[in-house]
Every structure is written in structure tokens, then in C-alpha cells.
Amino acid sequence: MSSTTADASTTGTTVITNIASLVTNDPSLGDGSPLGLIRDAAVVIDGDRIAWTGESREAPATDNRIDAAGRAVIPGFVDSHSHLVFAGDRTQEFNARMSGRAYSAGGIRTTVAATRAASDEELERNLTRYLDEALRQGTTTLETKSGYGLTVEDEARALRIASAHTDEVTYLGAHIVSPDHADDPAGYVALVTGEMLDACAPYARWIDVFCEKGAFDGDQARAILTAGRAKGLHPRVHANQLTYGPGVRLAVELDAASADHCTHLTDADVDALASGATVATLLPGAEFSTRAQWPDARRLLDAGVTVALSTDCNPGSSFTSSVPFCIALAVRDMGMTPDEAVWSATAGGARALRRTDVGRLTPGAYADLALLDAPSHVHLAYRPGVPLVRRVWRRGVRVV
Amino acid sequence: MSSTTADASTTGTTVITNIASLVTNDPSLGDGSPLGLIRDAAVVIDGDRIAWTGESREAPATDNRIDAAGRAVIPGFVDSHSHLVFAGDRTQEFNARMSGRAYSAGGIRTTVAATRAASDEELERNLTRYLDEALRQGTTTLETKSGYGLTVEDEARALRIASAHTDEVTYLGAHIVSPDHADDPAGYVALVTGEMLDACAPYARWIDVFCEKGAFDGDQARAILTAGRAKGLHPRVHANQLTYGPGVRLAVELDAASADHCTHLTDADVDALASGATVATLLPGAEFSTRAQWPDARRLLDAGVTVALSTDCNPGSSFTSSVPFCIALAVRDMGMTPDEAVWSATAGGARALRRTDVGRLTPGAYADLALLDAPSHVHLAYRPGVPLVRRVWRRGVRVV
């Protein structure tokens, strides 16, 4: 990710001390909860990694010292679902929708047209703007996707640009059937699984499909994800957002890292998620900005499903880059406790990306962390809308 | 209000130019809407006042020039309802409530005990911290109240401290019946309307009462507001938050500047508001953080009622200082259009404080304005949770 104000001048080890409350996400530490919460804590950074965490009074000697002054420190947020390679403006579409006015919205197609028409430089400028914005709000790992190109060249271009700025890149040629293939969805699936996949695979880690009425059905989704897997891309699925459907069960069957949205779930869907390693990634920004039904996080958690929280940042249905905002919504409207929501936005996001080196503050993990202008992580829900992220370190470098 | 980073060095007139979209709140300007929206606009600041607004190409010559680079400018937010003179920590109470755990919460009494125990310095440090936090989020006028002292000395102290930092100070001795008078509410009303009022009146502009079951009934509220008015304090009322009741109609009858909350309204309440000059101030942060029913802004607007939006920032029921967050909630859940919500958070707040010198960007008004990191005020709802306020001027001085 890009950084707004890099400060790479610090050398040697650094301790952040006088932390009122430190979320490690290691249940063997601190209070023994899933957050592994340590009171009156310190964390030691060595290079780009965490070297030590524990109680302040036991902190080892270091070269540099930062006083957290009784504030809280959490792992940087891991936002495992965004759509940031785009161009164009859909403000009027949003305004009309929320004002109850008719508007001939083109939806995703509007953004596809603008993205195709944009220069590489424009797309990259837009992407880095939103990556920086997310970083300032504490997001230190951010996945992003293609899906607004829908031609071989435009999808590959989007992924090439994305891969220059984040390791977590997802090929989403199967966002919708391209308008160019409106009368030939089978031909579009053949393109997505053939020439487009060949052009995109070198830049991506993941393959994703929007498995939904009006996008791709279960059979098409299976064909797309299977083809991607054969090219070394691991599956993830946009599943069960707008209606019930096969997406979630397909995701579990194919061992997708994540089934994203999960708003309309049958008991069989929940059972499938609980039985497999697929994370349920909830994206409340989308329900907020489209006035849709909230996903039921409580039901998933009570069934033993691993839940991640992400922004779905995109210009159509969820134009927020704020993970704290998603945490506040998850607590207010999705039945999560503040502890669960913070876990899901950090460790949960890491699980949804099958990462063990981010989303936790334990020795060996990347030194990706956020210092809050608050004494506790609970304030992320308690003080909704308030920009509480005061400092951010990524890979051991203070970037905010 | 305090300022985080004052920059008072600029002398002479200053033009902010290249504003993509300027909200003036003067319907005789620009698009003729209530927002008086001017595209490709400029605004000229002379000292602490607005000297000129209009299209960029017609801007007069000035001593200094700031390029808004295609961003939006709005009037600074007017937050007409907050409770910021307090001490103590209620994080665990919030956490327990949102986690479904039992907790013997003392509610307002918890904060009363902590506030009484705090030093003047502690109260002032707390207040200025939240004033600065609000200012960084674009709030340039902020009302705040007493109500956590509930003794003659503690109420007067709260108002004295508040009055050193804002002109909009409200005496709320009638927040709840003081725990010291639990068995003698009539005695407490006598204190609030007598000795306490005498001690508090010199520091306050407004008198307020929480007219609600469990707090003060209609007769008590009338006695309190009438006594305050006799001492030169103008009424405002916490009305109809938790249940139906007489608060709103009493507010209109007494020409209160505002009836605040307005969550449970009969048709007669709405008619009363529509017939008078009392503003309905809606506080969605409270409904958000207590999972309560939303106030119906649409019903009020359709009836012709003037609506303000404020934060109700307080440590118990609404610990947000973010007016943009309240705007996003009002649009999502209360039936307001983005235009209406932005108007209510600026011009509406000014009406609720009976001010004509703030909440608008017209010649003669205070130069209180916010530059957004977005091309339009609509983004305050379109991009929920994202800190979009990039620069703030207050009284012509750049403070953020």
C-alpha cells in the first residue's frame, strides 16, 4: 500500500509503551479472550516485525521509545474486500436513490464505461488515493479487485495496476456479464475462463465471481472458479448478497477463502460455513448505503462460523473506506459485540485472506498497528463516526 | 471554541477559489434550492466575516488566494445539542449493553458522581478535547450544557467552564432529579428554579429541561422554563425522546428555540411544531447507540417543520462528536435527502440557536467553513464514516 507520510528514519528496535489496552488477537496472551487483550501493555517493533508484546513493566530494552500515553493499540485493519480500480462519478445516482427520485442508473455498467475510458494514470491515481485514505483510517492490508473492465485488456490492466500497490489482488472478470456479451453469457464465461484468465492470472492471487441472480449462476460460478484454480488462483465468492442461492455452499465446497456478503442464508448455508474453512465476510457498508437487510452476524458466530468484516469500498453500493464505521454498524445492527467486531476486522480479515502474518500483534507478525485516540478498542463502536485512528505503523514504519 | 492548529498569520482578504460546489444556504443564490448551491464557486473572507460568494470567474481581487482544487465547501456545522462538561468513563456500560450482558449501570448518575469528583482542570481539559475533536470534523459552532452537577456549585461550575469556550451555553440543572433529592422532587425543582438558577444564569444563554417519564413532567418543566425565562434565559426542551409526552407542545407554547429528540410524536405534536418557530432538533446518534427507534424526519419536513441535526455528544447515550455521521444516519434511516440533512446540520442548527450569523455563507456571516475532500456535500452521506473534512476556517482563521 502507499503511504501518506513515510517516516523510515527510525533504526533499531522501538518499544511503544504505556498502552492502556493492547489487542494482540493471540488468546494465549493477556486476558485469554480471543482478542488476547493485555492491559498496561507494551509492544516492541524490530524492523518490519513485532518482536515482543507483554506488560509494560516487563518490556525489554530497545533503541527507541514511544509513549502511547494511556491509549489503545490494535492490529492494523485487514480489509479483505474492496473494488478500488475504477473511474467515474456516481454521486448523482446515490443522491437520487437516497432522495427517492427516479434516475436511470446504469449500476456497475456506468463504472465499467468510465473505467474503460480512463487512462492508466487516472486509474492508478484513484487507487492510491483510496489506499492512502484507508491507511489513514488504520487499514494496513487491503485486498482489491478488477471487475470494471470486463475485456481481456481492461481486466489485465486493472490487475496490473492493483498489483503494483497491494499483494492481495483478485481477478473478478466475473463481476457481471460484460455488456459486450449481453446476448451471449456462455461466450463471456468462456472468455473469463480462457483468454481473460490467461492475461490476468500473472497479476492476481485470487479469483472471485458474483454468484447471484442477474450475474452468474452456480454452474457458471463453479466453472469460473475451477478454471481459476487450475491457473493457481485461489477462489473467493460474492455469495448470497441479494437473494438466497448456491454461492455460499459452492464456496465451501471449493474451499474458497471467503464467501462475501452472506446476507441471505439458509440453515444449510450456515451449516456449510461452520463445517469448512471458508470465512463469512460481512460487508455492512453495502447494506447501509442501499438500505438493505443486515446480515445476521450473531447467527453465524453462534454456529461457530469465522466472520470477517470489510468495507466493500466501491462507488456504487458502499463508498466507505472506513473499517471503524463497519465495526460500529456490526455492533449496532448485526448482533456482534465490540470485541467480536474488532476481531473480525483484524484477525477475521486475515483469515479471509489466509494470512497469519497480519491481523495479530505477536512475535513474527508484521508490525502493522494502529494507535487509537481512545483508551480501548471498544471506543471504535462507542464513538461511531469519530476518526479515532491517531497513528498507524505499517511494516514497522510509521505512515500516519 | 478551541483550535488545534491556529493559523492567524494571514492578513487582508482571502479568496477560496475553484470550489466545485459551494453550499451557501441562501436560496437566492446559485441553483435557488434551500442550499443555494453555487457550482464552480469562490468565497471571499475579510477578517472574521464572509465578504462575497459567487461564481469563480466573477470573484473580486483579494490579497490571498487558496485553490480548493475542485473540492466542495460548506458552512461549518452548527451542533446545537451536546453534553460535554463531564468526567468519568462509561465504556464498560456501553460494552455490556451492546454485548447483551447484564451491567448495573447508573446511567446519568454515574457521570454525575464522576463529574462532581473531578477538578475544574479535568473538566476543562475534557471539554476542550471534545471541542477540538468536533472542530477537526467541521463543527464551528457548538452548544453545550450543564446537567452532570445537579448541585448549585457543580452546575454553576460546569457553566462557568463551558462559557469560557463557547457562547452557546445551556443550563440543564433539570437533567434528572438530583440523587440527593430522590425523595423530594418538588424540593429539587425549587432548587433548580431558585438558588441554582441564580447561580447559573450569569453563565448561560439557554435553559433546558428533560421533560420525560422518570425525569420532569409537563408541570415541572413549565415551572422550570418559565423561571429561567424570567432570569433572561431562553427555553429549549429535551422532548419526546423515550415516550410520548407534553414536551414538544410545551416547547412550542413557550416559544422554545428547539424541541430536541422528537422521536415519539403525535399528529398534534407535529402540527404544533409546524405552527410555531420552535425547531425540531433530531439526534440520531442517540438512537444509534441505544438501538432505539429512529425519529421520522420525513414526517416533520413534509409537515413544514424546521429540522436541525445534532450529535447529542455525551458519554452515556451518544458518544459521537461527528456531525457527518449524523448526516449519514439521517439520510439512511430518517428519510432525509442528502441536501436536507446538510441544511439541517448547518442552517438548521443555526435556527435552533436563533442565530443568523452562522450556518450560512453569505456576506456578513461569520467566515466559518469546511473544505471537504470531496467534490460535493452529498459525499457526507455517500461516503459514511470517512473523515472528509480536510480544512476548517472559524471566524476567518484556518484552524484545521
Side-chain angles (χ1 to χ4, degrees), chain B residues 29 64 66 81 100 108 158 233 323 379 383:
Chain B
L29 296 177
N64 310 290
I66 293 166
H81 186 133
I108 291 170
L233 304 184
V323 175
H379 284 230
R383 309 214 59 214

Side-chain angles (χ1 to χ4, degrees), chain A residues 347-361:
Chain A
R351 292 265 187 104
L353 295 171
R354 302 225 163 151
R355 297 276 294 264
T356 57
D357 56 350
V358 297
R360 60 174 66 191
L361 297 179

Side-chain angles (χ1 to χ4, degrees), chain A residues 69-153:
Chain A
R71 296 188 181 85
V73 168
I74 63 171
F77 298 121
V78 180
D79 187 349
S80 63
H81 187 133
S82 80
H83 302 249
L84 294 179
V85 188
F86 72 91
D89 181 5
R90 287 165 69 183
T91 311
Q92 290 316 311
E93 175 187 331
F94 172 85
N95 199 7
R97 180 169 78 233
M98 300 316 252
S99 303
R101 290 198 306 272
Y103 186 86
S104 61
I108 292 171
R109 286 166 192 79
T110 307
T111 301
V112 169
T115 302
R116 288 179 179 176
S119 68
D120 291 9
E121 293 68 29
E122 188 179 345
L123 291 179
E124 185 157 32
R125 200 162 52 236
N126 217 18
L127 171 64
T128 56
R129 175 195 166 167
Y130 294 114
L131 287 173
D132 281 351
E133 183 184 274
L135 192 60
R136 285 196 299 274
Q137 295 170 88
T139 300
T140 48
T141 302
L142 195 145
E143 180 270 5
T144 203
K145 302 177 213 303
S146 66
Y148 296 125
L150 309 187
T151 67
V152 172
E153 293 71 22

Side-chain angles (χ1 to χ4, degrees), chain A residues 127-196:
Chain A
L127 171 64
T128 56
R129 175 195 166 167
Y130 294 114
L131 287 173
D132 281 351
E133 183 184 274
L135 192 60
R136 285 196 299 274
Q137 295 170 88
T139 300
T140 48
T141 302
L142 195 145
E143 180 270 5
T144 203
K145 302 177 213 303
S146 66
Y148 296 125
L150 309 187
T151 67
V152 172
E153 293 71 22
D154 286 304
E155 286 293 297
R157 174 171 80 138
L159 294 171
R160 178 172 48 75
I161 290 169
S163 67
H165 297 279
T166 178
D167 296 335
E168 300 296 346
V169 175
T170 301
Y171 166 45
L172 181 61
H175 198 186
I176 54 169
V177 172
S178 164
D180 317 318
H181 288 74
D183 300 326
D184 180 24
Y188 188 65
V189 172
L191 184 67
V192 167
T193 57
E195 187 187 351
M196 193 187 284

